[in-house]
Amino acid sequence: MLRVLLTRRWLTWLLVAVVWAIACVFLGRWQWHRYESKSLSQHQVSDNYNGTPVSVDSVLKTPDSKLTADDKWTQVRLVGRYDDGKRVLARNRPNNSYYGYEVLIPFRQNDGSTVLVDRGWIDNGPTAAAPASVPATPSGEVTITGWLLPSEKSAAKQSVSGQVSSINLPEIRRMTGDSIHPGGYVLMRTEKTATGAVPAKPAPLPKPDPGSYAGINLSYALQWWAAAVCGFGFLFYRMRREHLEATRGPRPRKPKKVRIWDEEDG
């Protein structure tokens, strides 16, 4: 059988099987990474989104902590005051197929730390420098629940004064001069004043889409990896058949079955 393998024809087919196997392994890994990404996204939405609110410092434990993928959409609770004089608008932000602004305000907690809070979405105005009216920011002590989200990548675009093109926390820190925590910001869910009143606020953003069922990508990954093995299996099956035919001769064919009426006609 080794002599059969070492012929030019079968070495060529072996090379084809190797290329096929490598392609299948990479396609399987691609599907596996998609499975992991979808599973993580679904975990964030199912476990974190409606979880019991915790303090920000229980997630971002140090001033330099970064929000991990597992902690994205963790629900948190904050008590403190807005610094409305340092309000920033994030422009070109989608909401149900419309584009507008998200209202970003530094929020100083009672423990002294400052977190950026995204109060929600407002519509575009007549010009880029004149957005639609922004609901008044509540004064005094406020209690907020919301979700922790990571800093976005810098859009590297020049914006109108008081506006940003992405929620990039280092850039907003420089713009406001405030010591906003760089590890993540809070997308507001609810807001109450010390008297229990619920202030008017911008429009909420939609719940994140967890994506399609992740198991289908796991199934595809396993199928691709199985196909890599099957390619070698089929190759060696055909080689063995050729080897046996060369050493023992071709397999005898089964005699053709004669139908009863054929015998009678004969």
Side-chain angles (χ1 to χ4, degrees):
M1 191 168 173
L2 183 59
R3 288 195 300 270
V4 174
L5 175 62
L6 294 178
T7 61
R8 176 179 293 181
R9 181 165 64 93
W10 282 108
L11 285 174
T12 301
W13 280 112
L14 178 61
L15 179 60
V16 171
V18 169
V19 173
W20 166 256
I22 292 172
C24 288
V25 168
F26 277 98
L27 287 168
R29 289 183 61 186
W30 171 60
Q31 289 292 345
W32 176 262
H33 291 319
R34 292 194 65 193
Y35 161 72
E36 288 186 318
S37 176
K38 286 185 179 180
S39 295
L40 177 59
S41 176
Q42 289 161 6
H43 153 72
Q44 291 165 348
V45 175
S46 63
D47 296 348
N48 295 353
Y49 193 82
N50 288 316
T52 302
V54 298
S55 63
V56 173
D57 60 9
S58 69
V59 182
L60 302 174
K61 295 181 170 61
T62 69
D64 297 323
S65 295
K66 300 295 183 184
L67 190 68
T68 66
D70 284 335
D71 290 329
K72 185 179 178 182
W73 293 109
T74 295
Q75 192 166 206
V76 293
R77 181 176 180 271
L78 306 85
V79 181
R81 297 170 180 267
Y82 286 110
D83 188 352
D84 191 48
K86 297 180 179 179
R87 182 177 65 191
V88 176
L89 298 180
R91 60 188 300 177
N92 293 326
R93 308 294 290 193
N95 187 7
N96 294 320
S97 301
Y98 293 93
Y99 282 81
Y101 300 85
E102 289 179 40
V103 182
L104 312 173
I105 309 174
F107 187 86
R108 183 172 296 278
Q109 300 186 87
N110 287 344
D111 64 6
S113 62
T114 302
V115 181
L116 186 71
V117 171
D118 183 341
R119 292 193 73 218
W121 184 90
I122 60 172
D123 201 357
N124 278 322
T127 67
S133 62
V134 182
T137 304
S139 59
E141 186 174 276
V142 180
T143 299
I144 294 173
T145 60
W147 301 281
L148 270 175
L149 294 174
S151 174
E152 298 177 356
K153 292 182 179 179
S154 174
K157 295 180 180 178
Q158 186 174 2
S159 297
V160 176
S161 177
Q163 299 179 14
V164 291
S165 299
S166 64
I167 306 179
N168 180 270
L169 296 176
E171 289 182 356
I172 295 173
R173 280 169 61 104
R174 289 193 295 270
M175 176 183 291
T176 62
D178 210 330
S179 55
I180 297 167
H181 198 297
Y185 70 98
V186 176
L187 175 61
M188 189 180 71
R189 184 176 196 175
T190 65
E191 181 183 55
K192 287 185 179 180
T193 65
T195 62
V198 178
K201 61 182 182 179
L205 293 167
K207 183 177 180 178
D209 181 7
S212 57
Y213 175 58
I216 191 68
N217 297 99
L218 175 61
S219 173
Y220 289 155
L222 296 176
Q223 289 175 42
W224 279 117
W225 290 333
V229 177
C230 289
F232 287 108
F234 181 73
L235 174 72
F236 285 104
Y237 167 75
R238 293 299 304 168
M239 285 174 53
R240 184 172 181 275
R241 284 286 305 274
E242 183 170 307
H243 171 69
L244 292 176
E245 289 178 2
T247 55
R248 301 180 187 176
R251 290 190 299 178
R253 293 186 178 181
K254 292 182 180 180
K256 182 179 179 182
K257 186 174 180 179
V258 180
R259 295 175 296 179
I260 296 175
W261 49 84
D262 289 338
E263 293 176 346
E264 293 174 352
D265 291 343

